[in-house]
Amino acid sequence: MRILVFANTPAHVHLYRHAVDRLEDAGHEVLVLTREYACTTDLLEFYGLPYRRYGEHDVAASSTATIARELGGQLGSIVREALRFGPDVVFGRGPYAALAGTVARAPTVLVLDDEPGDFNHTVSRPFADCILSPRVTRRDLGDSHYTFDGFKECAYLHPEIFDADGAVREYLGVGEDEPYALVRFNALDALHDAGLEGFTRRQRRDLIDRLSERATVFVSDEGGEMDLRNLPARPYDLHPALIHDAMAEASLLIADTGTMVTEAGLLGTPALRYRGTDDHEYGEFRELERVGLAEQFDGYAGVRDRAIELLADDGADARWRRRRRTYVGDLVNLTDLLVDVAEAAGDLEELERSSRAALQPASVTASERP
């Protein structure tokens, strides 16, 4: 089989990387289509995944109109690559996968989460043969939409898959028992981020000052605009492939971006999300709050004070790891499911019994919500 996968962000690389490896090991031909954005191609290179670039994303392009123009210039490349490769099935999301599947006349599988806005769903839903999303998402996208008990991040952070590299402390230059906090500042440059604001410059500096009183602070600044020379913090400068190992060892993660909060929570690391001006209600965060693996805050003072409280709490790490053991191990191993769906060319009727049992029509999931 020929399997085409879209990886437009670093998170997409992680979502599919184990499945790509297993499909190649099984003798299938896989191609990852990507764009030059943040560390996406660095990760593809690190994991040795077969890829081609169809364009790039300018992190300064934060307006909807600018992003739409950028997208228009990329679609021609996607058409050429899809026709050249001739896939039997396409995996991805939004207009990218929808277009590729349409021109190649291949079944299209969309793997979605509870993102805000309707653009990606509106343009891709009519072309999808199969839509998969976590059961905690709040949408029903029709007869082809099925949900699974877990998160997209379970494709690479499920306990059956993820094994932390304990040497990450040595790479970071911190002691075996030295507490450290990871702080992630979002560039807010994706389509669904248009118009949003996270931590202000003053809040960023204040947060770093407060955290540094109790822990070593590492800052990952997606926009690359922060000058840390006069602040008590170090830049997080390890290879991006090591970020989950660093999260797993951290005493705390704070971010105004969603994916890393979800990841930290699933790793059993106390995770705090500052919403800023984002008033979208995400099903994933609501679920992680329910099981005590992540917390969200509307105001800066709340996230700051809670962060200080957790760093002063000697029992916080143990509580979070205990909650992870109780909750995450029972979630779906999404890589197993993606491999089975790929080998069935997106036809869920052809799935093995165990994979079919892991899926439920979204209409049923929606009817069960309060």
Side-chain angles (χ1 to χ4, degrees), residues 125-203:
R125 173 181 170 181
F127 305 96
D129 296 88
C130 173
I131 301 173
L132 304 178
S133 73
R135 196 158 293 165
V136 296
T137 59
R138 299 169 299 117
R139 297 178 185 270
D140 177 1
L141 298 176
D143 294 341
S144 61
H145 184 192
Y146 288 79
T147 67
F148 57 90
D149 190 12
F151 300 75
K152 290 197 296 74
E153 293 77 10
C154 288
Y156 54 97
L157 295 181
H158 193 281
E160 294 175 356
I161 296 175
F162 180 76
D163 188 15
D165 182 355
V168 74
R169 283 186 168 271
E170 179 182 347
Y171 306 151
L172 288 169
V174 296
E176 183 176 348
D177 298 319
E178 182 178 349
Y180 67 87
L182 285 172
V183 183
R184 172 68 164 181
F185 297 128
N186 198 345
L188 295 170
D189 61 342
L191 179 62
H192 57 259
D193 292 328
L196 296 183
E197 296 179 3
F199 288 106
T200 66
R201 182 172 300 181
R202 179 177 295 179
Q203 288 169 346

Side-chain angles (χ1 to χ4, degrees), residues 21 42 71 81 126 165 184 225 260 263 324:
D21 284 342
D42 290 337
L71 172 62
E81 294 291 355
D165 182 355
R184 172 68 164 181
E225 299 174 350
M260 288 183 67
E263 291 170 336
R324 177 184 188 252

Side-chain angles (χ1 to χ4, degrees), residues 79-148:
V79 168
R80 289 191 295 273
E81 294 291 355
L83 291 174
R84 178 189 304 172
F85 185 63
D88 296 299
V89 63
V90 176
F91 281 78
R93 63 188 297 147
Y96 312 96
L99 177 64
T102 299
V103 300
R105 298 183 179 180
T108 301
V109 179
L110 306 180
V111 183
L112 307 177
D113 54 10
D114 206 1
E115 69 170 26
D118 295 315
F119 177 75
N120 277 332
H121 304 302
T122 299
V123 300
S124 59
R125 173 181 170 181
F127 305 96
D129 296 88
C130 173
I131 301 173
L132 304 178
S133 73
R135 196 158 293 165
V136 296
T137 59
R138 299 169 299 117
R139 297 178 185 270
D140 177 1
L141 298 176
D143 294 341
S144 61
H145 184 192
Y146 288 79
T147 67
F148 57 90

